[in-house]
């Protein structure tokens, strides 16, 4: 981006003058985004609870005679039918859900970058082979496949659930990154690096990947959202085991908490899922505006007082 300043020639006419580069880092505008600030605040709060919360509360599986009590000073979010404290369970479940989302986001992003970027840059048979694998995973029904694999696997810890969900969560992102890489590899600066004799790994690392960072970040956030929601769906179906928000909803549904009026049992985990999803969506919207300037909302001009 540049600004052309005007100047007057010897005849007094206004002519184009020196081109003054006014390049501004796009990340600077992102840091002023209110959506990003709100999203980071929400997700940061839940990340802090996931890290420190279980260290500050007692055993969430401890039973007592205080069965199905409403929220009070002694039990902030009430108790279950077996006398377990809902607040302790919620804090412990936050770690499980956030851990699954983080692992799914990392694994799906790494695989999508390897398949999409390397295939798009290499071209030829390598690109065709990787595209074939991506297309196969795209046409597979994701949730039914995950349900089948989870039902077959005996181990159902947080890491196992995250690995299973990641297995089907990378193909869409790989296709997006491949398309963008195909566009970038024909740019002049990439051709110049190739003609100067730079190896392929260096061109991908220092010329192509930096231009894909906003897109990769957006795909990572999207994968985290998908991981948390998919794990909650599996746990609600009785296929989870990670001690997550979905697990709390599963036991609340099995104990007929809704018909007994025990809203404090199923509302908090549902609200946490909605809040984390909203926070991650706000971060994703901010990254989309960074990638596509046409999505940005123009600022209103400041009102000036009467002269």
């Amino acid at each position: 981006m540049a600004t052309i300043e005007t100047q007057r020639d010897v005849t007094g006419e206004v002519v184009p003058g020196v081109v003054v580069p006014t390049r501004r880092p796009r990340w600077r505008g992102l840091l002023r985004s209110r959506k990003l600030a709100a999203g980071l605040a929400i997700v940061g709060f839940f990340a802090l609870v996931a890290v420190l919360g279980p260290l500050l509360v007692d055993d969430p599986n401890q039973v007592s005679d205080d069965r199905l009590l409403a929220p009070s000073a002694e039990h902030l979010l009430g108790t279950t039918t077996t006398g377990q404290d809902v607040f302790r369970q919620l804090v412990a479940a936050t770690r499980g859900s956030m851990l699954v989302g983080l692992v799914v986001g990392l694994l799906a992003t790494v695989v999508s970058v390897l398949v999409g970027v390397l295939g798009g840059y290499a071209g030829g048979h390598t690109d065709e082979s990787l595209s074939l694998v991506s297309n196969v995973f795209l046409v597979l029904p994701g949730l039914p496949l995950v349900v089948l694999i989870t039902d077959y696997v005996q181990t159902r810890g947080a890491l196992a659930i995250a690995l299973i969900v990641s297995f089907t969560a990378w193909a869409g992102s790989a296709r997006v990154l491949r398309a963008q890489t195909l566009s970038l590899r024909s740019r002049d600066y990439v051709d110049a690096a190739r003609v100067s004799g730079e190896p392929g790994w260096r061109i991908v690392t220092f010329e192509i990947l930096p231009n894909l960072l906003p897109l990769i970040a957006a795909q990572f956030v999207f994968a985290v959202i998908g991981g948390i929601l998919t794990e909650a769906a599996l746990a609600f179906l009785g296929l989870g085991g990670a001690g997550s928000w979905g697990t709390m909803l599963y036991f609340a549904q099995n104990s007929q908490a809704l018909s007994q009026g025990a809203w404090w049992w199923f509302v908090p985990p549902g609200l946490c899922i909605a809040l984390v999803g909203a926070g991650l969506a706000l971060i994703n919207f901010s990254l989309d505006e960074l990638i596509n300037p046409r999505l940005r909302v123009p600022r209103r001009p400041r009102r000036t007082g009467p002269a």
Side-chain angles (χ1 to χ4, degrees):
M1 188 174 180
T3 300
I4 301 177
E5 291 188 349
T6 58
Q7 62 184 10
R8 294 182 182 276
D9 60 5
V10 293
T11 63
E13 295 181 354
V14 178
V15 296
V18 181
V19 177
V20 180
T22 58
R23 186 176 182 181
R24 299 171 58 185
R26 293 188 295 177
W27 293 101
R28 186 179 299 176
L30 182 64
L31 296 177
R32 292 198 296 265
S33 172
R34 294 180 180 177
K35 295 178 184 176
L36 180 65
L40 289 177
I42 295 173
V43 176
F45 170 76
F46 281 99
L48 194 64
V49 172
V51 174
L52 301 178
L55 304 177
L56 303 176
V57 298
D58 296 332
D59 183 11
N61 298 320
Q62 182 180 0
V63 297
S64 66
D65 295 331
D66 301 333
R67 298 178 181 178
L68 211 59
L69 296 181
S72 62
E74 186 177 0
H75 302 284
L76 296 178
L77 293 178
T79 60
T80 66
T81 52
T82 56
Q84 294 170 317
D85 190 276
V86 176
F87 178 74
R88 298 176 190 172
Q89 289 189 338
L90 188 69
V91 172
T94 301
R95 172 177 288 184
S97 293
M98 296 297 287
L99 179 62
V100 171
L102 178 63
V103 174
V104 171
L106 289 175
L107 291 179
T109 303
V110 169
V111 175
S112 63
V113 168
L114 289 175
V115 174
V117 177
L118 293 183
Y121 178 76
H125 295 295
T126 303
D127 184 31
E128 292 178 359
S129 302
L130 294 177
S131 294
L132 176 62
V133 177
S134 300
N135 292 334
V136 170
F137 276 88
L138 278 176
V139 298
L140 289 174
L143 186 58
L145 180 63
V146 171
V147 170
L148 288 176
I149 297 175
T150 308
D151 188 41
Y152 178 77
V153 176
Q154 299 298 326
T155 305
R156 293 180 184 175
L159 184 58
I161 296 295
L163 289 174
I164 294 171
V165 176
S166 303
F167 184 69
T168 59
W170 59 270
S173 300
R175 294 292 296 175
V176 174
L177 292 174
R178 174 185 175 272
Q180 192 65 22
T181 305
L182 288 175
S183 172
L184 291 175
R185 74 173 186 178
S186 59
R187 300 290 174 88
D188 292 340
Y189 63 91
V190 177
D191 290 336
R194 192 181 295 115
V195 170
S196 65
E198 290 192 16
W201 67 267
R202 185 176 178 82
I203 295 175
V204 171
T205 305
F206 295 101
E207 304 294 345
I208 293 180
L209 277 181
N211 291 285
L212 293 175
L213 281 181
L215 187 59
I216 293 174
Q219 298 297 331
F220 169 76
V221 173
F222 186 74
V224 173
I225 298 175
I228 292 176
L229 294 180
T230 304
E231 191 281 333
L234 290 174
F236 187 73
L237 294 175
L239 298 174
S244 63
W245 295 325
T247 307
M248 292 184 65
L249 292 174
Y250 169 73
F251 284 111
Q253 189 268 341
N254 271 5
S255 300
Q256 300 180 348
L258 180 62
S259 61
Q260 298 187 63
W263 57 267
W264 56 86
W265 197 350
F266 57 85
V267 168
L271 190 60
C272 288
I273 294 175
L275 285 175
V276 171
L280 292 171
L282 288 174
I283 296 175
N284 210 5
F285 291 156
S286 304
L287 295 174
D288 284 342
E289 291 179 356
L290 176 67
I291 298 170
N292 187 359
R294 287 178 294 183
L295 297 177
R296 298 176 190 169
V297 179
R299 293 186 174 182
R300 296 180 179 178
R302 294 182 178 178
R303 295 182 178 179
T304 56

